[in-house]
Amino acid sequence: MTPRATKAMAGIAAAAVALGVVQLVAAIVGPRSDARTAVGSAVIDLTPGPVKEWAIQTFGTADKLVLTLAVLVVIAAVAAAAAALETRRVPVGSVAIVAAGVAGAAAVLSRAGATPVDVVPTVVGTVCGVAVLRLLLSGRFTDDAPTADPSTDRGPDPGRRLSLVTLGFLGVGALTGVGGLVLARVTGSVSGDRNAFALPPVDVAAPPVPPNVQPRGVELPSFVTPNTDFYRIDTALSVPQLSRENWELRIHGMVDREITYGFADLEQFEVVEKLVTLTCVSNPVGGDLVGNAAWTGYRVRDLLAPAGIHPDADMVLSMSIDGFTAGTPVEAFTDDRGSMLAIGMNGEPLPTDHGYPARLVVPGLYGYVSATKWVVDLEVTRFDRAQAYWTRLGWSPRGPIKTESRIDVPRSGQDVPRGPVTFGGVAWAQPRGVRAVQVRVDGPDGEGDWQQATLGAGYSNDTWRLWSLAWQATTPGPHTVTVRATDNTGAVQTADIADPVPDGATGWHSVDFAVT
Ligand SMILES: Nc1nc2c(c(=O)[nH]1)N[C@H]1C(S)=C(S)[C@@H](COP(=O)(O)O)O[C@H]1N2
Ligand SMILES: [Mo]
């Protein structure tokens, strides 16, 4: 290896040790001291809205993994470049590590509730990183002593020992990092609290789901989305670990009386169960950021009633433990739609990713204006006084769900053998409900006319509806299938193409396939 490359490798090893040590010490000091989460959250906060939107649409639920990998690649590249330039007189690499440490410490201190102790892991990691870099570049491991027999130039590679030590430090970085993550998981996780929680008995049960909600003869998503398949969208780089004991819901703002509920205080309210299809405003036409679950919990209306909402209030700003906010019209919480503080999802305590121990579920509104997970605060206010997370980034303050439909079968590019075939998909228009779904194969200039799809039984206007269509595949070659839904007001889903920003995508979903 050239000296430059050797130095670059030393830089990467030093950065790995720094990051690993931060992670390990942070596992001991506590979640607020985790510089990785702090820096990642700062990156998310500083990323412009359109870029965030692009990331959600491109990577969906994997967006955080992609962010983490991208940040690691950038760190490795910067560390390598800086270390390659390090000399005894101008310690570029060491300065870069210290600068990264200062930035990390600043990110940690900028988080809500951080104390000076929380920068300890970052400081320790930075010191270790610099020490490793200086050690590797000190020349101590460069075996440049002349070989015993100068006539053989096949002696040990002078850089070999250094490479091995460098690799060793890379390993130390990986081990401390993974060890720290595992340790933090074990000590900080609420999974024990969640496992020990038995949902209270339901007072007002949801009507049972009849089997005929699910069309036959075609493999479609299940009408009720299993928790493990449910899409996840949020800004939380590390999932908040909030136990029932530490949970509180504060209601304040334009109210007669401020109220704070502990988890046990919720027992005074009726336990209700309701199926609601949750939809993300960022879902592109044909996308899968939509899911249907049976939620168990309490009516937000019941929780708000004792507070006495002022008549001139028109918004409830809900906030999560990690600072996400959503602005929901007051009437969405007080009218008859049955908005919930949910504590259960499909018969289990809320999964941690989906808001344990409590979240909001509001029929008919996109998640960004309503579905706050890990919710701890409801401020009764006005749309002309307060702005929520996504509204500040340019999204619409109000987010009613638009009528949409999706083709799940056939998949794009699928080969369909000649003969009878059944297509299918889902359609949603909460809270209006879906009355009809129409499907067109080829057209408008091909032979295709709109055909009525067969609908799965309608469960409620707050849930999606599955559809199927039997079709004869006769003409070999490429074809296109298009779908559109009609809601219960009689309005047909618009063909106008709209971007998800600022208030949800529109347009018809089409899929290209081939008959073979
Ligand atoms: N705390 C918190 N709650 C949140 C969000 C968030 O970023 N943070 N995102 C919202 C958005 S945009 C959507 S679409 C839904 C998604 O809920 P899910 O992840 O349970 O599917 O959560 C909402 N609640
Ligand atoms: Mo969303």
Side-chain angles (χ1 to χ4, degrees):
M1 275 206 281
T2 65
R4 267 277 158 87
T6 310
K7 282 180 166 179
M9 278 309 296
I12 293 176
V17 169
L19 293 177
V21 168
V22 171
Q23 214 61 69
L24 188 61
V25 180
I28 299 157
V29 177
R32 283 209 182 92
S33 73
D34 181 352
R36 180 182 56 97
T37 308
V39 170
S41 303
V43 170
I44 293 180
D45 289 346
L46 296 175
T47 303
V51 179
K52 281 195 242 226
E53 179 60 29
W54 168 83
I56 291 176
Q57 275 178 51
T58 313
F59 307 117
T61 298
D63 56 353
K64 279 157 210 90
L65 181 64
V66 173
L67 173 70
T68 305
L69 293 177
V71 168
L72 285 179
V73 168
V74 170
I75 289 176
V78 171
L85 298 174
E86 169 116 351
T87 62
R88 203 151 305 182
R89 283 237 227 98
V90 195
V92 181
S94 307
V95 169
I97 293 175
V98 171
V102 170
V108 167
L109 287 176
S110 74
R111 309 294 297 166
T115 62
V117 179
D118 291 324
V119 301
V120 167
T122 311
V123 172
V124 176
T126 306
V127 170
C128 290
V130 172
V132 167
L133 184 67
R134 308 239 85 183
L135 188 67
L136 288 175
L137 300 186
S138 65
R140 194 170 310 178
F141 303 108
T142 322
D143 187 5
D144 51 9
T147 41
D149 179 1
S151 64
T152 61
D153 50 11
R154 310 222 101 227
D157 173 358
R160 194 155 165 236
R161 205 167 142 227
L162 178 59
S163 301
L164 283 178
V165 176
T166 306
L167 265 184
F169 276 120
L170 262 180
V172 169
L175 277 180
T176 48
V178 171
L181 288 175
V182 171
L183 188 64
R185 253 229 126 101
V186 171
T187 56
S189 165
V190 285
S191 62
D193 187 62
R194 182 175 176 271
N195 291 340
F197 178 41
L199 284 179
V202 173
D203 298 307
V204 185
V209 177
N212 57 349
V213 294
Q214 199 76 32
R216 303 257 190 134
V218 53
E219 216 165 293
L220 293 182
S222 170
F223 174 76
V224 175
T225 313
N227 290 354
T228 45
D229 293 349
F230 210 93
Y231 80 94
R232 172 190 165 201
I233 291 295
D234 54 60
T235 58
L237 202 53
S238 76
V239 178
Q241 304 290 318
L242 183 56
S243 66
R244 281 169 288 149
E245 200 194 341
N246 290 334
W247 180 87
E248 264 183 2
L249 183 65
R250 177 168 171 242
I251 299 175
H252 62 110
M254 298 171 69
V255 293
D256 298 335
R257 279 166 299 283
E258 265 191 45
I259 302 181
T260 300
Y261 296 111
F263 204 82
D265 298 328
L266 299 174
E267 282 167 18
Q268 61 185 294
F269 299 107
E270 223 169 23
V271 178
V272 296
E273 182 192 46
K274 189 174 167 73
L275 272 79
V276 177
T277 299
L278 218 64
T279 311
C280 183
V281 70
S282 300
N283 193 43
V285 170
D288 56 8
L289 301 180
V290 52
N292 184 41
W295 307 95
T296 309
Y298 307 93
R299 297 182 195 93
V300 180
R301 177 161 74 182
D302 295 351
L303 273 61
L304 288 175
I309 294 181
H310 293 176
D312 51 336
D314 63 2
M315 181 223 255
V316 176
L317 187 74
S318 56
M319 192 169 77
S320 67
I321 188 79
D322 63 339
F324 169 86
T325 51
T328 310
V330 165
E331 71 268 15
F333 283 140
T334 54
D335 66 16
D336 291 331
R337 77 182 73 195
S339 294
M340 295 169 73
L341 178 77
I343 59 169
M345 183 176 182
N346 292 328
E348 279 178 36
L350 280 181
T352 318
D353 285 358
H354 295 286
Y356 182 84
R359 71 167 312 161
L360 296 170
V361 172
V362 177
L365 299 182
Y366 286 123
Y368 83 107
V369 289
S370 67
T372 304
K373 306 190 272 190
W374 317 287
V375 64
V376 292
D377 193 287
L378 300 180
E379 182 188 349
V380 180
T381 178
R382 293 182 51 84
F383 277 97
D384 58 16
R385 283 185 205 166
Q387 269 198 321
Y389 186 90
W390 287 103
T391 312
R392 234 177 279 133
L393 295 168
W395 270 255
S396 167
R398 297 182 192 248
I401 294 173
K402 298 177 178 178
T403 301
E404 269 300 321
S405 52
R406 183 181 79 198
I407 300 161
D408 288 78
V409 179
R411 288 266 157 220
S412 170
Q414 190 178 318
D415 286 339
V416 174
R418 246 190 282 184
V421 59
T422 305
F423 293 157
V426 295
W428 61 89
Q430 317 90 297
R432 301 169 300 282
V434 171
R435 173 196 289 181
V437 169
Q438 292 171 311
V439 180
R440 186 175 72 186
V441 183
D442 303 326
D445 304 314
E447 71 268 33
D449 283 327
W450 288 109
Q451 303 175 54
Q452 294 294 342
T454 306
L455 289 180
Y459 177 84
S460 86
N461 291 342
D462 297 322
T463 52
W464 63 7
R465 209 155 170 187
L466 277 56
W467 62 266
S468 67
L469 181 90
W471 188 69
Q472 281 292 333
T474 49
T475 321
H479 296 274
T480 302
V481 54
T482 305
V483 67
R484 70 178 189 195
T486 303
D487 73 16
N488 274 324
T489 71
V492 179
Q493 177 186 337
T494 177
D496 295 346
I497 293 170
D499 194 72
V501 189
D503 60 2
T506 60
W508 293 339
H509 186 212
S510 282
V511 166
D512 296 326
F513 64 101
V515 172
T516 53

